[in-house]
């Protein structure tokens, strides 16, 4: 499977930029994993909204994202 590209929504990018370095590193690590296989974890998919969620930092935070399979893109929608 080819690696997916990354797109950030502006508010998610601003939230990311405002976080401490160690938290940004945890998020980046998890995003790198998503770019290799964005459909994991399978239980993180919400069919009604067509959005995915996953945790970072051992469950410290949440990443909400969308996947556009046709264009092989992961869109970071929000960090919680």
């Amino acid at each position: 499977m080819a690696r997916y590209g990354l797109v950030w929504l502006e508010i998610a990018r601003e939230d990311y930029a405002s976080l401490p370095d160690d938290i940004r590193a945890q998020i980046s690590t998890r995003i790198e994993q998503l770019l290799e296989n964005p459909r994991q974890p399978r239980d993180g998919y919400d069919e009604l909204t067509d959005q995915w969620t996953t945790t970072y930092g051992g469950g410290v935070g949440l990443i909400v994202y969308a996947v556009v399979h046709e264009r092989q893109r992961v869109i970071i929608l929000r960090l919680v």
Side-chain angles (χ1 to χ4, degrees):
M1 176 186 288
R3 182 178 166 90
Y4 279 58
L6 180 63
V7 177
W8 287 84
L9 290 189
E10 186 175 343
I11 193 163
R13 172 56 88 183
E14 290 171 0
D15 289 345
Y16 176 80
S18 72
L19 294 169
D21 290 342
D22 59 326
I23 301 297
R24 284 197 317 264
Q26 293 171 6
I27 293 169
S28 294
T29 297
R30 184 63 186 118
I31 288 174
E32 287 300 315
Q33 295 166 347
L34 291 175
L35 296 178
E36 294 297 326
N37 189 0
R39 297 178 181 166
Q40 294 296 326
R42 290 226 182 263
D43 63 351
Y45 180 67
D46 181 344
E47 191 172 344
L48 291 175
T49 63
D50 195 25
Q51 295 178 354
W52 295 76
T53 58
T54 189
T55 60
Y56 64 87
V60 170
L62 187 71
I63 301 171
V64 180
Y65 65 102
V67 180
V68 181
H69 300 292
E70 297 80 15
R71 301 203 187 275
Q72 292 187 292
R73 296 289 184 264
V74 171
I75 304 168
I76 305 300
L77 303 172
R78 185 162 183 190
L79 303 174
V80 181

